Amino acid sequence: MDKESNYTPNHIPVKERVENIIGSIFFVAYGAYGVWTNDLHLVFGRRSPGIHLHDIAAWLMFAASICGCVVLLTVVVDHYDQRNNETNYKKIADVFKKSGIAFAILSILAWALMEIF
């Protein structure tokens, strides 16, 4: 018996898959609209007015949202992949998580610099 014959693929509940797909669509749509209008509004809480990202800051945050989409969709793709490569999906998700965080930080820094100057 080889290792593959005993392998059982990951099972991700339907609710989680649907939430990830809807979340991905939302992130792309909201980010694309924000870039298109050159006003990507981020809200940090109910009483916070949030910030409005423009130009390069909006584009960098849009890149962060695309990275977030990839992370969400790796879970969905992993569910349908019958091969034993969960570790590859985890590595992909980790790279895009770190990239998304980096893009978000760069976006906020760009926004702050634009506010100062």
Side-chain angles (χ1 to χ4, degrees):
M1 256 187 199
D2 61 357
K3 289 172 109 177
E4 294 294 321
S5 63
N6 293 332
Y7 173 71
T8 304
N10 278 352
H11 173 72
I12 310 300
V14 173
K15 181 181 179 203
E16 185 177 347
R17 284 181 275 154
V18 169
E19 288 171 347
N20 284 7
I21 292 169
I22 290 171
S24 294
I25 292 169
F26 173 78
F27 281 138
V28 169
Y30 191 74
Y33 179 76
V35 167
W36 182 53
T37 60
N38 197 27
D39 184 21
L40 184 56
H41 185 214
L42 298 180
V43 179
F44 298 108
R46 286 185 177 181
R47 296 191 172 110
S48 166
I51 61 174
H52 292 266
L53 303 177
H54 306 286
D55 303 320
I56 190 68
W59 280 100
L60 288 167
M61 192 58 75
F62 181 56
S65 70
I66 296 296
C67 290
C69 291
V70 172
V71 172
L72 289 173
L73 292 176
T74 55
V75 175
V76 176
V77 173
D78 183 27
H79 171 80
Y80 292 104
D81 190 353
Q82 298 298 312
R83 298 170 294 168
N84 184 10
N85 53 0
E86 282 82 11
T87 56
N88 293 338
Y89 288 113
K90 179 159 179 17
K91 288 177 188 175
I92 292 168
D94 288 344
V95 166
F96 278 93
K97 277 181 194 174
K98 291 175 183 171
S99 299
I101 291 168
F103 280 127
I105 290 169
L106 287 173
S107 174
I108 300 301
L109 288 174
W111 169 80
L113 287 173
M114 284 191 270
E115 289 292 312
I116 291 171
F117 298 107

